[in-house]
Amino acid sequence: MAEAETPGDHALVDVDLDGSRHHLRWPRDKTLVEIMLDAGIDVPHSCREGHCGSCVATVLRGRVDMADCDILEPADLADGLILGCQARPVSGDIHIEY
């Protein structure tokens, strides 16, 4: 069953950023930017409200949901682009690249 929603309080995410891969637990009630900052990772971000695009990343595996997305077009979303400040995990195993 590929890409199915996975129950539980967190997902596992691999994040590729600046040549490093970070393995993190991603609580379902936090955004990607929040968990990366909590882990001490200098993730690109600015407004944290889905308006500036500083935190754009690409989902390579898995699924996320976004609360607000003012700047990404439907074609961007279809290509797997997300806003890290708005993204929360849906599937249990996710791979994201900045």
Side-chain angles (χ1 to χ4, degrees):
M1 179 183 343
E3 305 298 336
E5 288 188 33
T6 303
D9 62 351
H10 72 275
L12 299 177
V13 61
D14 292 330
V15 181
D16 296 337
L17 173 67
D18 296 332
S20 295
R21 180 166 292 175
H22 306 276
H23 306 283
L24 303 167
R25 287 173 49 103
W26 189 356
R28 297 194 186 278
D29 64 343
K30 292 198 171 216
T31 68
L32 180 61
V33 167
E34 289 172 332
I35 66 154
M36 293 181 74
L37 290 173
D38 288 349
I41 300 166
D42 188 20
V43 60
H45 73 286
S46 184
C47 75
R48 296 177 81 167
E49 296 177 1
H51 303 298
C52 73
S54 296
C55 61
V56 170
T58 304
V59 175
L60 302 177
R61 178 183 70 244
R63 287 187 33 224
V64 304
D65 184 43
M66 288 187 294
D68 292 318
C69 184
D70 292 341
I71 64 162
L72 295 178
E73 299 293 326
D76 298 328
L77 298 171
D79 286 342
L81 296 182
I82 62 164
L83 299 177
C85 73
Q86 299 298 302
R88 297 178 194 275
V90 173
S91 58
D93 182 31
I94 301 168
H95 184 185
I96 292 176
E97 180 179 72
Y98 275 89

